[in-house]
Amino acid sequence: HGAVFELFGLDFLVDSALQPWVLEVNSTPSLAVEHSQPEVQQMIYDQKKTMVGDMFNLVRVPARFLQPRAAQPANSGGSS
């Protein structure tokens, strides 16, 4: 009962007549969230989080894999 999928990214613009135009299709879209304006960065984060959640629902990823993990310290690789 495995699932195979591929995620594509579409870059598009909307002109003054509200006509959408596809600029390119990316076979390896970035899921990074980086922007200099915090409000825009939050909007990007929210959109990508929703998209990833929808993708996982479509391929039926079990809920146990979707639980947030506790934050790990940046330097947690070795033993003390």
Side-chain angles (χ1 to χ4, degrees):
H1 297 124
V4 176
F5 64 94
E6 189 164 353
L7 175 67
F8 290 95
L10 293 119
D11 292 342
F12 62 94
L13 64 82
V14 179
D15 66 19
S16 60
L18 300 179
Q19 174 69 38
W21 296 89
V22 175
L23 300 176
E24 68 179 354
V25 177
N26 301 300
S27 61
T28 56
S30 171
L31 296 179
V33 178
E34 300 172 357
H35 200 277
S36 60
Q37 297 178 8
E39 301 85 12
V40 175
Q41 183 165 319
Q42 184 64 48
M43 180 184 70
I44 294 168
Y45 172 82
D46 292 342
Q47 290 175 345
K48 289 185 179 186
K49 180 179 178 187
T50 300
M51 181 273 307
V52 169
D54 290 344
M55 178 183 63
F56 286 161
N57 285 332
L58 285 169
V59 297
R60 298 187 175 108
V61 172
R64 70 178 184 267
F65 295 117
L66 304 178
Q67 300 303 315
R69 295 188 308 175
Q72 299 293 319
N75 194 9
S76 63
S79 58
S80 319

